[in-house]
Amino acid sequence: MQIAQVRGTVVSTHKVPSMRGIKLLLVQYIDEEGQLLPKYEVAGDLIGAGVSEWVLVSRGSAARIEAGQESKPLDATIVGIIDTVNVERNALYSKKEAERLS
């Protein structure tokens, strides 16, 4: 899994039938210091994440492990919304703090 921030939405009205009903989000990956990396990816959202939230992204074959997703052509899936991240006893991210500052 990797940590990413949701940067926007992706709308595709024409897609393969197995992808119908899956919300697509544009995510930007985050490094161990909380800095945004120059890497973006489109991820299927199974949990209802919103723009600017930090999320957990499962990639590759692990992106299709969730029941009912096995036949979907997903390379990245958002599987969690992050509440806090701590590195070496230092708070790297807090959803409450981010919401307060917005």
Side-chain angles (χ1 to χ4, degrees):
M1 274 190 282
Q2 290 184 273
I3 295 174
Q5 184 179 33
V6 177
R7 304 296 282 174
T9 59
V10 176
V11 177
S12 174
T13 55
H14 298 282
K15 53 192 163 207
V16 296
S18 65
M19 291 293 290
R20 289 193 184 123
I22 294 180
K23 180 179 164 186
L24 300 173
L25 297 176
L26 181 67
V27 297
Q28 184 175 9
Y29 290 101
I30 297 172
D31 70 13
E32 68 280 358
E33 295 175 352
Q35 301 301 310
L36 292 168
L37 296 169
K39 180 174 181 184
Y40 291 83
E41 188 162 25
V42 176
D45 178 27
L46 303 180
I47 57 168
V51 174
S52 81
E53 287 189 297
W54 281 32
V55 294
L56 292 172
V57 179
S58 182
R59 299 178 69 216
S61 61
R64 296 179 295 278
I65 295 288
E66 186 66 27
Q69 306 307 313
E70 304 88 354
S71 64
K72 299 190 183 335
L74 294 170
D75 287 328
T77 302
I78 296 171
V79 296
I81 298 172
I82 295 173
D83 294 311
T84 61
V85 177
N86 295 292
V87 177
E88 296 179 3
R89 299 182 191 179
N90 294 314
L92 185 64
Y93 171 79
S94 166
K95 183 175 178 176
K96 284 184 183 181
E97 186 69 20
E99 288 173 350
R100 188 180 66 76
L101 296 174
S102 313

